[in-house]
Amino acid sequence: MIELIDKIGKGELTSTEVTNAYCHRAALAHQVFNCCSEVFFERALVRAKELDAYYKEHGETIGPLHGIPISLKDQVNLEGLDSSLGFISKVNKPKTKEDESIIAKFLYDAGAIFYVKTTVPMAMMAGDTYSNIYGQTVNSLNRNLSAGGSSGGESSLIAAKGGIIGLSTDLGGSIRIPAAFHGLFAIRPTSYRLPYAKVDNAMAFQPICPSVIGPSARFLKDLEYLCKVIIDCKPWLHDPKAPPIPWRPFEVPSKLCFGIYKNSGLTHPHPPIARAIELTRQKLIEMGHEV
Protein backbone atom coordinates (compact mmCIF):
# COMPACT_ATOMS: atom_id res chain seq x y z
CA MET A 1 0.00 0.00 0.00
CA ILE A 2 2.76 2.47 0.92
CA GLU A 3 4.45 1.94 -2.45
CA LEU A 4 1.16 2.61 -4.25
CA ILE A 5 0.62 5.78 -2.22
CA ASP A 6 4.07 6.96 -3.28
CA LYS A 7 3.45 6.21 -6.97
CA ILE A 8 0.04 7.91 -6.96
CA GLY A 9 1.53 10.92 -5.17
CA LYS A 10 4.25 11.22 -7.83
CA GLY A 11 1.73 10.89 -10.66
CA GLU A 12 3.21 7.58 -11.85
CA LEU A 13 -0.17 5.88 -11.35
CA THR A 14 -3.69 7.26 -11.34
CA SER A 15 -6.42 6.39 -8.86
CA THR A 16 -8.48 5.03 -11.75
CA GLU A 17 -5.72 2.67 -12.87
CA VAL A 18 -5.25 1.31 -9.35
CA THR A 19 -8.99 0.97 -8.73
CA ASN A 20 -9.55 -0.79 -12.05
CA ALA A 21 -6.83 -3.30 -11.20
CA TYR A 22 -8.24 -4.15 -7.77
CA CYS A 23 -11.85 -4.26 -8.96
CA HIS A 24 -10.81 -6.74 -11.65
CA ARG A 25 -8.87 -8.87 -9.18
CA ALA A 26 -11.68 -8.75 -6.61
CA ALA A 27 -14.20 -9.88 -9.26
CA LEU A 28 -12.03 -12.89 -10.07
CA ALA A 29 -11.46 -13.68 -6.38
CA HIS A 30 -15.17 -13.53 -5.59
CA GLN A 31 -16.06 -15.95 -8.39
CA VAL A 32 -13.57 -18.48 -7.05
CA PHE A 33 -13.76 -17.97 -3.27
CA ASN A 34 -17.18 -16.32 -2.67
CA CYS A 35 -15.72 -13.58 -0.48
CA CYS A 36 -17.77 -10.44 -1.26
CA SER A 37 -21.16 -9.50 0.20
CA GLU A 38 -21.51 -6.21 -1.71
CA VAL A 39 -19.85 -5.27 -5.01
CA PHE A 40 -20.00 -1.62 -6.14
CA PHE A 41 -17.24 -1.12 -8.69
CA GLU A 42 -19.03 1.64 -10.62
CA ARG A 43 -19.31 3.72 -7.47
CA ALA A 44 -15.60 3.14 -6.78
CA LEU A 45 -14.59 4.23 -10.28
CA VAL A 46 -16.63 7.44 -10.01
CA ARG A 47 -14.74 8.20 -6.81
CA ALA A 48 -11.40 7.38 -8.47
CA LYS A 49 -12.10 9.79 -11.33
CA GLU A 50 -12.99 12.52 -8.85
CA LEU A 51 -9.65 11.99 -7.09
CA ASP A 52 -7.78 12.05 -10.40
CA ALA A 53 -9.49 15.33 -11.30
CA TYR A 54 -8.48 16.80 -7.95
CA TYR A 55 -4.85 15.72 -8.47
CA LYS A 56 -4.81 17.16 -11.97
CA GLU A 57 -6.19 20.50 -10.77
CA HIS A 58 -4.17 20.90 -7.58
CA GLY A 59 -1.03 18.87 -8.29
CA GLU A 60 -1.27 17.07 -4.96
CA THR A 61 -3.23 14.29 -3.29
CA ILE A 62 -6.38 14.89 -1.28
CA GLY A 63 -5.10 12.98 1.77
CA PRO A 64 -2.80 10.21 3.02
CA LEU A 65 -4.91 7.43 1.44
CA HIS A 66 -5.54 9.12 -1.91
CA GLY A 67 -6.62 6.51 -4.47
CA ILE A 68 -6.14 3.46 -2.23
CA PRO A 69 -8.89 0.79 -2.51
CA ILE A 70 -9.93 -0.41 0.93
CA SER A 71 -12.29 -3.34 1.50
CA LEU A 72 -14.75 -3.40 4.39
CA LYS A 73 -16.27 -6.19 6.39
CA ASP A 74 -20.06 -6.42 6.00
CA GLN A 75 -20.59 -4.71 9.39
CA VAL A 76 -19.09 -1.38 8.32
CA ASN A 77 -21.98 0.83 7.23
CA LEU A 78 -21.97 2.74 3.94
CA GLU A 79 -24.85 4.73 2.52
CA GLY A 80 -26.99 2.76 0.08
CA LEU A 81 -25.59 -0.66 0.98
CA ASP A 82 -26.73 -3.48 3.25
CA SER A 83 -25.04 -4.53 6.46
CA SER A 84 -26.82 -7.86 6.83
CA LEU A 85 -24.58 -9.50 9.48
CA GLY A 86 -25.55 -12.73 7.73
CA PHE A 87 -29.25 -12.34 8.65
CA ILE A 88 -31.79 -12.75 5.85
CA SER A 89 -34.05 -10.29 7.71
CA LYS A 90 -31.51 -7.51 7.08
CA VAL A 91 -31.20 -8.03 3.32
CA ASN A 92 -32.35 -5.20 1.02
CA LYS A 93 -32.39 -2.69 3.87
CA PRO A 94 -29.67 -0.26 2.78
CA LYS A 95 -28.08 2.11 5.23
CA THR A 96 -28.60 5.86 5.11
CA LYS A 97 -26.03 8.64 5.23
CA GLU A 98 -26.74 9.02 8.95
CA ASP A 99 -25.92 5.34 9.50
CA GLU A 100 -22.41 5.53 8.01
CA SER A 101 -19.62 4.28 10.28
CA ILE A 102 -17.34 6.97 11.69
CA ILE A 103 -14.21 5.02 10.76
CA ALA A 104 -15.39 4.76 7.14
CA LYS A 105 -15.83 8.54 7.02
CA PHE A 106 -12.27 9.03 8.28
CA LEU A 107 -10.86 6.76 5.57
CA TYR A 108 -12.99 8.33 2.84
CA ASP A 109 -11.93 11.85 3.81
CA ALA A 110 -8.30 10.66 3.72
CA GLY A 111 -8.79 9.67 0.06
CA ALA A 112 -9.68 5.96 0.32
CA ILE A 113 -11.83 4.25 -2.29
CA PHE A 114 -14.40 1.69 -1.14
CA TYR A 115 -15.27 -0.96 -3.73
CA VAL A 116 -16.47 -4.13 -1.94
CA LYS A 117 -17.85 -5.31 1.37
CA THR A 118 -16.97 -8.84 2.48
CA THR A 119 -18.84 -11.87 3.74
CA VAL A 120 -19.58 -12.91 7.31
CA PRO A 121 -21.36 -15.89 8.90
CA MET A 122 -24.83 -15.39 10.32
CA ALA A 123 -24.58 -13.38 13.58
CA MET A 124 -20.79 -13.49 13.12
CA MET A 125 -19.70 -15.26 16.30
CA ALA A 126 -18.26 -18.22 14.37
CA GLY A 127 -14.87 -19.51 13.30
CA ASP A 128 -16.06 -20.21 9.75
CA THR A 129 -17.80 -17.99 7.18
CA TYR A 130 -21.11 -19.44 6.00
CA SER A 131 -24.60 -17.96 5.88
CA ASN A 132 -27.92 -18.65 4.16
CA ILE A 133 -27.43 -15.43 2.19
CA TYR A 134 -23.95 -15.90 0.73
CA GLY A 135 -23.24 -19.60 1.22
CA GLN A 136 -19.71 -20.78 1.97
CA THR A 137 -16.65 -18.55 1.74
CA VAL A 138 -13.52 -20.64 1.23
CA ASN A 139 -9.83 -20.16 1.92
CA SER A 140 -8.12 -18.43 -1.00
CA LEU A 141 -4.86 -20.32 -0.39
CA ASN A 142 -6.64 -23.68 -0.55
CA ARG A 143 -10.31 -23.96 -1.50
CA ASN A 144 -10.59 -27.22 0.43
CA LEU A 145 -9.99 -25.35 3.70
CA SER A 146 -12.03 -22.92 5.78
CA ALA A 147 -11.57 -19.18 5.40
CA GLY A 148 -12.01 -18.86 9.17
CA GLY A 149 -14.38 -16.39 10.70
CA SER A 150 -16.05 -14.24 11.26
CA SER A 151 -14.00 -11.99 8.97
CA GLY A 152 -13.41 -14.83 6.51
CA GLY A 153 -14.46 -12.85 3.44
CA GLU A 154 -12.04 -10.03 4.26
CA SER A 155 -9.00 -12.29 4.72
CA SER A 156 -9.89 -14.48 1.73
CA LEU A 157 -10.09 -11.40 -0.52
CA ILE A 158 -6.80 -9.89 0.69
CA ALA A 159 -4.87 -13.16 0.51
CA ALA A 160 -6.13 -13.60 -3.06
CA LYS A 161 -4.69 -10.10 -3.78
CA GLY A 162 -8.17 -8.79 -4.49
CA GLY A 163 -7.51 -6.23 -1.76
CA ILE A 164 -4.59 -4.34 -0.29
CA ILE A 165 -5.90 -3.74 3.20
CA GLY A 166 -9.32 -3.91 4.84
CA LEU A 167 -11.25 -3.47 8.05
CA SER A 168 -12.48 -6.43 10.09
CA THR A 169 -13.92 -6.82 13.58
CA ASP A 170 -12.99 -9.13 16.45
CA LEU A 171 -14.50 -10.22 19.75
CA GLY A 172 -13.25 -13.78 20.21
CA GLY A 173 -10.89 -14.13 17.25
CA SER A 174 -12.79 -12.83 14.23
CA ILE A 175 -9.83 -10.82 12.92
CA ARG A 176 -7.12 -13.18 14.17
CA ILE A 177 -8.51 -16.55 13.05
CA PRO A 178 -9.03 -15.77 9.33
CA ALA A 179 -5.82 -13.73 9.18
CA ALA A 180 -3.89 -16.70 10.58
CA PHE A 181 -5.64 -19.09 8.16
CA HIS A 182 -4.45 -16.93 5.24
CA GLY A 183 -0.98 -15.95 6.42
CA LEU A 184 -1.84 -12.26 6.82
CA PHE A 185 -0.80 -9.58 9.27
CA ALA A 186 -3.65 -8.16 11.36
CA ILE A 187 -4.27 -6.08 14.46
CA ARG A 188 -6.90 -6.78 17.09
CA PRO A 189 -6.67 -3.42 18.89
CA THR A 190 -7.46 -2.61 22.48
CA SER A 191 -11.17 -1.90 22.92
CA TYR A 192 -12.23 1.44 21.39
CA ARG A 193 -8.69 2.44 20.34
CA LEU A 194 -10.07 2.63 16.79
CA PRO A 195 -13.61 4.09 16.61
CA TYR A 196 -16.44 1.55 16.53
CA ALA A 197 -19.25 4.12 16.40
CA LYS A 198 -22.02 3.20 13.93
CA VAL A 199 -20.43 -0.15 13.03
CA ASP A 200 -23.24 -2.75 13.13
CA ASN A 201 -22.92 -5.70 15.47
CA ALA A 202 -25.03 -8.74 16.31
CA MET A 203 -24.02 -8.31 19.97
CA ALA A 204 -24.37 -4.54 20.19
CA PHE A 205 -24.73 -2.53 23.40
CA GLN A 206 -23.09 -5.05 25.72
CA PRO A 207 -20.09 -3.40 27.41
CA ILE A 208 -18.56 -6.39 29.21
CA CYS A 209 -16.80 -7.99 26.24
CA PRO A 210 -16.93 -5.47 23.37
CA SER A 211 -16.05 -6.18 19.77
CA VAL A 212 -13.24 -4.11 18.27
CA ILE A 213 -12.39 -3.01 14.74
CA GLY A 214 -8.97 -3.36 13.13
CA PRO A 215 -7.14 -3.85 9.82
CA SER A 216 -5.79 -6.92 8.00
CA ALA A 217 -3.16 -6.76 5.25
CA ARG A 218 -0.36 -8.68 3.57
CA PHE A 219 2.30 -6.26 4.85
CA LEU A 220 2.91 -5.20 8.45
CA LYS A 221 3.88 -1.61 7.60
CA ASP A 222 0.50 -1.09 5.95
CA LEU A 223 -1.26 -1.82 9.26
CA GLU A 224 0.86 0.75 11.08
CA TYR A 225 0.22 3.35 8.39
CA LEU A 226 -3.56 2.87 8.38
CA CYS A 227 -3.86 2.93 12.17
CA LYS A 228 -1.87 6.17 12.31
CA VAL A 229 -4.12 7.76 9.68
CA ILE A 230 -7.21 6.84 11.72
CA ILE A 231 -5.83 7.97 15.08
CA ASP A 232 -4.55 11.23 13.56
CA CYS A 233 -8.22 11.99 12.78
CA LYS A 234 -8.78 12.35 16.55
CA PRO A 235 -11.60 9.78 16.79
CA TRP A 236 -12.35 10.82 20.38
CA LEU A 237 -13.97 13.97 19.00
CA HIS A 238 -16.48 11.81 17.08
CA ASP A 239 -16.82 8.63 19.18
CA PRO A 240 -17.19 9.21 22.95
CA LYS A 241 -15.78 5.75 23.72
CA ALA A 242 -12.49 6.35 21.90
CA PRO A 243 -9.72 7.39 24.33
CA PRO A 244 -8.11 10.81 23.71
CA ILE A 245 -4.67 9.34 23.07
CA PRO A 246 -2.73 10.59 20.02
CA TRP A 247 -0.44 8.41 17.91
CA ARG A 248 2.80 7.75 19.80
CA PRO A 249 5.82 6.01 18.25
CA PHE A 250 7.05 3.20 20.48
CA GLU A 251 10.38 1.38 20.46
CA VAL A 252 9.91 -2.31 21.25
CA PRO A 253 12.62 -3.59 23.64
CA SER A 254 14.99 -6.19 22.21
CA LYS A 255 14.12 -8.57 25.06
CA LEU A 256 10.49 -9.22 25.97
CA CYS A 257 8.78 -11.41 28.56
CA PHE A 258 5.99 -13.80 27.51
CA GLY A 259 3.61 -15.90 29.56
CA ILE A 260 2.20 -19.12 28.09
CA TYR A 261 -0.41 -21.48 29.42
CA LYS A 262 -0.92 -24.79 27.63
CA ASN A 263 -4.49 -25.50 28.76
CA SER A 264 -7.21 -24.01 30.90
CA GLY A 265 -7.28 -26.87 33.38
CA LEU A 266 -10.66 -27.94 31.98
CA THR A 267 -10.03 -28.41 28.27
CA HIS A 268 -6.95 -29.37 26.30
CA PRO A 269 -6.14 -28.09 22.79
CA HIS A 270 -5.87 -30.48 19.87
CA PRO A 271 -2.35 -31.86 19.20
CA PRO A 272 -1.62 -29.48 16.26
CA ILE A 273 -2.44 -26.49 18.48
CA ALA A 274 -0.36 -27.85 21.37
CA ARG A 275 2.52 -28.37 18.92
CA ALA A 276 2.20 -24.78 17.66
CA ILE A 277 2.30 -23.45 21.22
CA GLU A 278 5.44 -25.44 21.97
CA LEU A 279 7.13 -24.34 18.72
CA THR A 280 6.31 -20.73 19.58
CA ARG A 281 7.82 -21.15 23.04
CA GLN A 282 11.01 -22.62 21.60
CA LYS A 283 11.37 -19.88 18.97
CA LEU A 284 10.92 -17.12 21.56
CA ILE A 285 13.62 -18.63 23.76
CA GLU A 286 15.95 -18.98 20.75
CA MET A 287 15.44 -15.26 19.99
CA GLY A 288 16.58 -14.38 23.53
CA HIS A 289 13.19 -13.58 25.05
CA GLU A 290 12.08 -14.64 28.52
CA VAL A 291 9.25 -17.17 28.63
Side-chain angles (χ1 to χ4, degrees):
M1 180 177 76
I2 294 173
E3 184 178 353
L4 276 178
I5 291 169
D6 181 61
K7 287 184 179 295
I8 292 171
K10 291 177 179 177
E12 296 176 15
L13 289 172
T14 67
S15 300
T16 301
E17 288 171 334
V18 173
T19 303
N20 263 318
Y22 276 94
C23 286
H24 179 72
R25 184 74 178 189
L28 295 174
H30 178 59
Q31 290 177 74
V32 180
F33 309 115
N34 192 35
C35 51
C36 297
S37 61
E38 295 277 359
V39 175
F40 43 102
F41 297 156
E42 290 183 1
R43 178 166 159 177
L45 289 167
V46 168
R47 164 72 165 165
K49 290 174 183 176
E50 291 172 353
L51 292 173
D52 286 337
Y54 181 94
Y55 186 88
K56 185 177 181 180
E57 180 180 352
H58 298 277
E60 62 182 12
T61 57
I62 202 169
L65 294 171
H66 183 109
I68 297 300
I70 293 181
S71 51
L72 303 171
K73 188 177 180 179
D74 172 82
Q75 290 171 260
V76 182
N77 294 335
L78 293 180
E79 182 183 8
L81 299 172
D82 288 351
S83 294
S84 72
L85 314 183
F87 292 114
I88 291 174
S89 61
K90 288 179 172 286
V91 172
N92 294 329
K93 295 181 179 176
K95 298 297 181 177
T96 67
K97 187 69 176 177
E98 287 298 313
D99 296 325
E100 283 197 343
S101 302
I102 295 297
I103 196 168
K105 290 182 179 180
F106 288 166
L107 298 180
Y108 186 88
D109 290 344
I113 297 174
F114 304 131
Y115 64 117
V116 293
K117 293 178 69 176
T118 52
T119 53
V120 298
M122 186 178 73
M124 292 175 303
M125 282 286 288
D128 186 37
T129 299
Y130 174 87
S131 75
N132 290 329
I133 304 171
Y134 313 115
Q136 182 72 53
T137 298
V138 296
N139 191 303
S140 60
L141 303 182
N142 184 337
R143 295 185 70 254
N144 293 315
L145 301 178
S146 170
S150 64
S151 310
E154 196 61 44
S155 288
S156 183
L157 176 74
I158 294 170
K161 301 181 182 178
I164 311 170
I165 193 167
L167 291 180
S168 301
T169 62
D170 189 308
L171 196 160
S174 288
I175 292 175
R176 293 162 286 172
I177 294 168
F181 282 14
H182 290 88
L184 301 177
F185 291 100
I187 295 178
R188 194 267 188 212
T190 301
S191 298
Y192 308 119
R193 183 58 170 138
L194 301 184
Y196 207 97
K198 298 188 179 182
V199 174
D200 271 15
N201 197 309
M203 298 179 66
F205 311 117
Q206 56 88 17
I208 304 303
C209 187
S211 174
V212 304
I213 191 163
S216 302
R218 290 187 293 119
F219 301 102
L220 185 59
K221 287 186 177 180
D222 292 350
L223 300 181
E224 180 182 358
Y225 186 93
L226 190 74
C227 288
K228 184 179 186 303
V229 168
I230 295 167
I231 291 171
D232 284 348
C233 292
K234 299 182 179 180
W236 51 89
L237 300 179
H238 306 267
D239 182 348
K241 291 184 177 180
I245 303 172
W247 180 265
R248 299 169 298 174
F250 179 74
E251 188 90 18
V252 179
S254 58
K255 183 176 180 179
L256 300 172
C257 181
F258 294 87
I260 294 176
Y261 70 96
K262 297 184 178 181
N263 65 73
S264 66
L266 298 174
T267 58
H268 296 267
H270 289 292
I273 305 301
R275 184 172 68 249
I277 293 171
E278 178 57 26
L279 284 171
T280 301
R281 187 187 71 84
Q282 292 173 11
K283 291 294 183 184
L284 290 171
I285 292 172
E286 289 172 10
M287 293 171 69
H289 298 301
E290 182 180 352
V291 178

